[in-house]
Amino acid sequence: MMSLRNLKQWLRKTKKNNQKHKKQETTEDTIVQILTDEEDFDDLRVKDLRQELRRVKYNQKFIGSLFNTIGTLIVAAALAIIISNVFMPVLQVTGNSMAPTLEEGEILLANKNAKFNTGDIIAFYYNNKILVKRVIATAGDWINISADGTVYVNDIEIDEPYLIDKALGDCNLDFPYQIPESKIFVMGDHRSVSLDSRNSNIGCISEEQIVGRVDLCIWPLSGVRKVN
């Protein structure tokens, strides 16, 4: 009587021969029918054979599904990286210079192609780092900051509802100060600690330094919101 071990060996040999000669793959029912025609093959062996064939078939489907899933994840990750680098850079807040608007550890999306106006929050390069600040004035504007931290642009006090308190902060500029051509004056919302355009070490930034306008906070999930 043919043992189950010999049966498995016979099945492997048959499969190799079919692949070699490009014959149509033998189905489960056909194999079982062929073997049940043998006089020395009992019902128990047929049952074992069916179980073995189903196990092999399941494993093949599982492996195929696994490879498809992995491939999909790789493509999705590649697309996410491309989108992040080309259109929507992902940034993480470090420090508290933009508190309370942005808190340390929050993750932001910046829009590279978006235009910005005064009052918008932007990300920009500075000394191989990316800083996040608020646009206060643009080229040609005159800015003045009083001793108590009140900001005037072109002799008009600007409304800043995003501030907790005002402060002159780390400032070494002589006021009134005119923003140079093609430059942008930025400040952090936490005026007493932020190092920004008020200090000549950073100064006004150029448009070439800008990474993008910060539009969304995407992490933590409890803090997902539009940034303004």
Side-chain angles (χ1 to χ4, degrees):
M1 181 176 292
M2 183 182 294
S3 67
L4 182 59
R5 181 177 179 181
N6 291 336
L7 170 62
K8 290 181 180 179
Q9 292 176 347
W10 180 83
L11 287 173
R12 293 192 192 99
K13 184 177 180 181
T14 301
K15 184 177 180 181
K16 289 181 180 178
N17 289 336
N18 285 344
Q19 290 175 343
K20 181 177 180 181
H21 299 291
K22 297 182 180 179
K23 293 181 179 179
Q24 184 177 4
E25 184 179 357
T26 308
T27 65
E28 174 187 335
D29 290 338
T30 303
I31 293 175
V32 173
Q33 182 61 46
I34 291 172
L35 293 176
T36 51
D37 289 341
E38 299 290 335
E39 294 181 357
D40 61 347
F41 214 83
D42 57 26
D43 291 340
L44 180 60
R45 297 300 183 187
V46 172
K47 183 178 179 181
D48 290 340
L49 172 62
R50 287 186 182 277
Q51 290 176 345
E52 178 66 16
L53 290 173
R54 287 168 184 162
R55 185 187 67 80
V56 171
K57 187 175 181 180
Y58 173 81
N59 288 341
Q60 290 174 340
K61 286 184 177 180
F62 175 78
I63 292 173
S65 177
L66 179 62
F67 276 107
N68 287 338
T69 301
I70 292 173
T72 301
L73 291 175
I74 291 173
V75 171
L79 288 175
I81 292 172
I82 292 172
I83 291 172
S84 173
N85 289 332
V86 177
F87 302 108
M88 300 282 285
V90 178
L91 315 168
Q92 185 170 29
V93 178
T94 57
N96 61 351
S97 69
M98 281 298 294
T101 307
L102 302 173
E103 300 293 344
E104 185 169 14
E106 290 185 325
I107 296 178
L108 315 172
L109 283 183
N111 189 338
K112 273 192 169 185
N113 299 317
K115 295 181 179 180
F116 59 88
N117 300 304
T118 54
D120 288 340
I121 296 174
I122 62 171
F124 60 93
Y125 292 106
Y126 173 74
N127 282 354
N128 297 320
K129 297 186 294 184
I130 295 180
L131 303 183
V132 176
K133 306 291 181 183
R134 191 180 296 274
V135 177
I136 301 299
T138 55
D141 289 337
W142 285 90
I143 189 167
N144 195 0
I145 305 176
S146 65
D148 68 354
T150 301
V151 179
Y152 300 85
V153 176
N154 299 324
D155 294 326
I156 299 174
E157 180 181 349
I158 63 173
D159 182 29
E160 299 188 284
Y162 39 80
L163 298 182
I164 289 181
D165 51 32
K166 298 179 180 180
L168 181 59
D170 189 352
C171 179
N172 62 3
L173 298 180
D174 293 326
F175 295 112
Y177 175 81
Q178 186 175 31
I179 315 304
E181 184 178 353
S182 300
K183 296 290 185 178
I184 302 162
F185 192 96
V186 297
M187 297 170 68
D189 288 355
H190 195 173
R191 296 290 162 80
S192 61
V193 302
S194 177
L195 185 62
D196 46 47
S197 295
R198 292 172 293 177
N199 189 293
S200 57
N201 287 329
I202 291 183
C204 294
I205 66 170
S206 64
E207 293 187 3
E208 289 75 19
Q209 292 174 258
I210 297 175
V211 175
R213 186 185 70 194
V214 176
D215 286 342
L216 295 172
C217 175
I218 60 173
W219 186 265
L221 293 178
S222 59
V224 172
R225 65 191 183 280
K226 187 178 185 302
V227 174
N228 50 39

